[in-house]
Amino acid sequence: MAGDDVTRTLAAMGPRLRAVRERRGVTLAAVSRATGVSSSTLSRIETGRRKPTLEVVLQLAKEYGVSLDELAGTAPAPAAGPRGTAPHSFGDDKAVLPLTRYVGGLHAHKHVLPAVGEPPGRPRQGTHEGHEWLCVLYGRLWIALGDQDLVLTAGDVIEFDTRVPHGLANAGSTGPVEYLIMFGPQGERPRLRAPAAAGRGTGDGTAAG
């Protein structure tokens, strides 16, 4: 494997590890206790601020019950279907499609939660370092954020500090829910930039706001 390929593989592994952990509904603290790897190290790996060693990758693959090919993104692709990055799906639960593959900075994923037959219990909450921006594309998403319970529908957007306990679940009973997540370390977050309305510039050639 060439140097550039190794770099890309390691860059994509952090988001995959985070997706697998969230898919299993476990916290960084729980993984730390099971593997002996500190929570801070796991957090830095997931956010791309630290490259995982082979020893850590082997420990996490065993703990999560996934293959090294899945974590490295080298598992065989399906025989048929549209080209592109295959979503990571485990059992009948959430599917996650990584949309970015680089070290550090903001990372984007598309998540799909399957339809539920009956109203779910309150989502299990977890915390980790970082900041998250979420946009619902389809369905109804239940977010348990701290002591608040919010239900978002298509087009709704929420932004929050991931050090606040949070959990997600499908709030509907008629179909799946799809949403986009943009996640980054503390200090790296989406910034709103809107042009000034026509005729309402600042006078110096820059947009107001």
Side-chain angles (χ1 to χ4, degrees):
M1 183 179 289
D4 288 346
D5 291 335
V6 171
T7 299
R8 285 193 293 268
T9 297
L10 291 175
M13 193 168 289
R16 288 195 183 99
L17 286 168
R18 177 172 180 255
V20 174
R21 177 179 61 78
E22 289 186 340
R23 168 64 182 78
R24 289 174 58 85
V26 294
T27 64
L28 287 172
V31 178
S32 177
R33 288 193 296 270
T35 62
V37 182
S38 71
S39 296
S40 60
T41 295
L42 292 171
S43 177
R44 288 195 294 271
I45 289 173
E46 288 188 357
T47 56
R49 289 176 291 168
R50 178 168 179 167
K51 294 180 181 179
T53 64
L54 178 58
E55 180 181 2
V56 168
V57 171
L58 289 172
Q59 287 179 291
L60 294 177
K62 181 179 180 180
E63 176 65 19
Y64 295 147
V66 297
S67 69
L68 292 179
D69 281 342
E70 288 177 90
L71 293 180
T74 57
R83 297 182 62 184
T85 304
H88 304 288
S89 181
F90 305 87
D92 296 325
D93 209 341
K94 177 172 65 178
V96 179
L97 177 65
L99 302 178
T100 50
R101 298 180 178 278
Y102 46 76
V103 175
L106 296 170
H107 287 269
H109 304 80
K110 179 180 179 181
H111 293 231
V112 181
L113 293 174
V116 293
E118 56 185 29
R122 193 170 194 260
R124 180 185 302 175
Q125 293 179 305
T127 63
H128 51 87
E129 290 291 327
H131 201 90
E132 194 159 288
W133 177 92
L134 183 153
C135 176
V136 177
L137 302 176
Y138 177 84
R140 301 174 69 242
L141 181 67
W142 180 0
I143 301 184
L145 185 62
D147 58 1
Q148 300 182 70
D149 288 277
L150 309 170
V151 175
L152 306 184
T153 58
D156 288 342
V157 175
I158 188 171
E159 181 181 6
F160 58 92
D161 188 324
T162 53
R163 292 174 296 184
V164 176
H166 58 282
L168 309 174
N170 188 339
S173 59
T174 59
V177 58
E178 300 183 12
Y179 54 98
L180 294 177
I181 281 182
M182 187 175 293
F183 170 81
Q186 291 296 331
E188 297 193 53
R189 54 191 292 188
R191 295 179 294 276
L192 179 63
R193 290 289 185 267
R200 293 181 58 189
T202 62
D204 60 0
T206 61

